[in-house]
Amino acid sequence: MSSLVDVPVRYDLAASTSPALRVGDLVDPDALADLTLGYGSSPGDAELRALIGAGAGVEAEQVLLTVGAIEAMFLLAQDRLGPGDAVTLASPCFPPARSIPEGLGARVDVVAMRFGDGYRLPIDEVADALTPKTRLVSVASPQNPSGIRLTEGELRGLLTAVEERAPGAVVLVDETYRHSTYGNAPVPASAAALSPRVVTCGSLSKAHGAPGLRLGWLTTTDADLYERLRNAKHLTTIACSAPAEFLAVQLLRRSREVLAPRAALLQRALTELQQWVRDQPLEFVRPDGGALCCLRLPRDRVPDAAVPDFYSRLAENDARVAPGSWFGDEDRVFRLGFGHLPPTEFTEALARLADALPRDRGKSS
């Protein structure tokens, strides 16, 4: 999976970000000249936390800035898990959601979300996986890789199950793609204020197009948990980058201005993708949010032997998608990112993807 950042390809449909911002999109570069490169604080810049908190429905004091959302996941897992503890994980998922608990010696109880079910969270199966040893429940909304969002009913049902069967657990809701909407659709509400049991994480990497800042956050309304996580950050990364926090403030002050053209781009690309997929030997789950979705090579049309051949032909076309095995799914399923490429390049990338698809068994209706 490191090839996503380490190995470029001409037509990258594996990437899951919106177009990258430039420093000049946010601020006059001369404004950086007087920026002091000292240590920041362990909680992070106060204005930045207030901006994030206002968008999530919590107080600034309930927001902890982190080095990307991945540090938030590390800090929470380290607080909650050790040998003998258990995490209930909805999968497919962002790979570190599984590898971090495993590295801490925790048991990972995987609950599968299935392509055929539209990647909806099976609440009953989650409830069955919970035990008094469960210390962490990990979900995402919108989900990576499918872009499917949890409904408020699903979230409340999940919290009820956790309260009844795993009273010592907290629920991590990864909201990294929450701000990636389509067209004029509003940004959905955060789960941050639903319960003291809920911890959310997010970042500026995906919807806002600023992965180079490596700036993320977590939220918790549990004051004791917040203090433990803040202290753990201080003992590891100490503070986030001062230039990153400064630029993040400039970005979030203009959040609507930044997000609006990205939402329009995502709507346009998703519409094109939906029209394109009708003529391809593929199955498709339409996402609710995010710059990503899942497609599948159908079993009744594509034999098992043809699946690796598809990826080989795609590589020959200087294009790529993200195979399902990166996320805990099968390689018949792949993640396609539709927000990263400019429109003309996205159209060409789809043409190259179509050229790589197996067609010896006909095409889907």
Side-chain angles (χ1 to χ4, degrees):
M1 193 174 183
S2 63
S3 63
L4 275 175
V5 293
D6 294 340
V7 183
V9 298
R10 181 68 182 84
Y11 296 98
D12 196 353
L13 292 169
S16 60
T17 63
S18 292
L21 291 166
R22 301 171 302 167
V23 171
D25 295 328
L26 301 177
V27 66
D28 184 335
D30 290 342
L32 296 171
D34 294 328
L35 180 65
T36 301
L37 297 180
Y39 281 114
S41 67
S42 55
D45 180 86
E47 181 181 357
L48 182 54
R49 289 186 290 116
L51 288 165
I52 294 167
V58 296
E59 300 298 323
E61 293 74 19
Q62 297 167 329
V63 177
L64 179 68
L65 300 186
T66 58
V67 182
I70 194 167
E71 186 186 22
M73 299 175 71
F74 269 106
L75 293 175
L76 183 62
Q78 289 170 337
D79 180 82
R80 306 303 300 169
L81 301 172
D85 295 321
V87 54
T88 298
L89 173 66
S91 181
C93 61
F94 180 49
R98 180 166 187 166
S99 62
I100 294 170
E102 288 178 337
L104 293 169
R107 186 184 78 238
V108 179
D109 298 321
V110 175
V111 176
M113 296 180 292
R114 303 170 183 86
F115 187 101
D117 297 330
Y119 289 112
R120 298 256 50 107
L121 184 68
I123 299 294
D124 291 344
E125 293 180 34
V126 173
D128 290 342
L130 298 172
T131 77
K133 291 187 176 181
T134 304
R135 300 273 292 161
L136 176 64
V137 179
S138 181
V139 297
S141 181
Q143 182 210 18
N144 184 359
S146 72
I148 297 301
R149 183 182 296 121
L150 295 173
T151 66
E152 183 177 347
E154 287 170 331
L155 277 169
R156 292 192 180 279
L158 174 62
L159 285 170
T160 297
V162 172
E163 289 166 1
E164 292 175 351
R165 303 196 181 198
V170 300
V171 177
L172 172 64
V173 183
D174 180 351
E175 297 184 336
T176 300
Y177 292 96
R178 181 170 69 91
H179 290 86
S180 284
T181 58
Y182 308 142
N184 295 321
V187 174
S190 170
L194 273 182
S195 166
R197 192 183 293 278
V198 170
V199 176
T200 73
C201 65
S203 80
L204 298 177
S205 297
K206 305 300 184 180
H208 296 84
L213 292 182
R214 305 308 307 131
L215 201 294
W217 58 84
L218 61 79
T219 74
T220 176
T221 57
D222 181 331
D224 291 338
L225 176 58
Y226 182 95
E227 178 56 24
R228 294 199 305 273
L229 295 173
R230 184 211 57 78
N231 188 56
K233 178 192 171 184
H234 176 70
L235 294 172
T236 51
T237 53
I238 303 177
C240 295
S241 156
E245 291 189 348
F246 173 79
L247 290 171
V249 169
Q250 314 313 309
L251 194 165
L252 288 188
R253 284 175 178 173
R254 302 169 53 188
S255 185
R256 291 184 181 179
E257 179 184 343
V258 168
L259 291 173
R262 284 162 169 70
L265 175 69
L266 290 180
Q267 179 63 73
R268 179 200 174 282
L270 180 57
T271 299
E272 179 179 356
L273 175 61
Q274 289 178 283
Q275 293 171 345
W276 173 86
V277 80
R278 293 171 187 159
D279 297 321
Q280 309 304 325
L282 290 169
E283 298 167 319
F284 171 61
V285 174
R286 187 191 187 282
D288 300 318
L292 71 177
C293 63
C294 283
L295 298 98
R296 182 171 68 178
L297 299 163
R299 291 188 184 280
D300 62 345
R301 300 176 186 276
V302 180
D304 290 343
V307 175
D309 292 341
F310 157 67
Y311 288 102
S312 296
R313 287 195 298 273
L314 191 58
E316 292 171 0
N317 287 349
D318 202 15
R320 70 179 166 200
V321 294
S325 56
W326 286 4
F327 307 95
D329 213 325
E330 58 179 344
D331 277 346
R332 283 185 173 279
V333 174
F334 58 87
R335 187 185 76 180
L336 185 148
F338 53 88
H340 181 69
L341 294 173
T344 56
E345 294 185 23
F346 181 64
T347 299
E348 175 62 22
L350 290 181
R352 293 178 180 233
L353 175 57
D355 181 67
L357 290 170
R359 295 183 182 276
D360 53 319
R361 290 197 174 190
K363 64 183 182 180
S364 60
S365 57

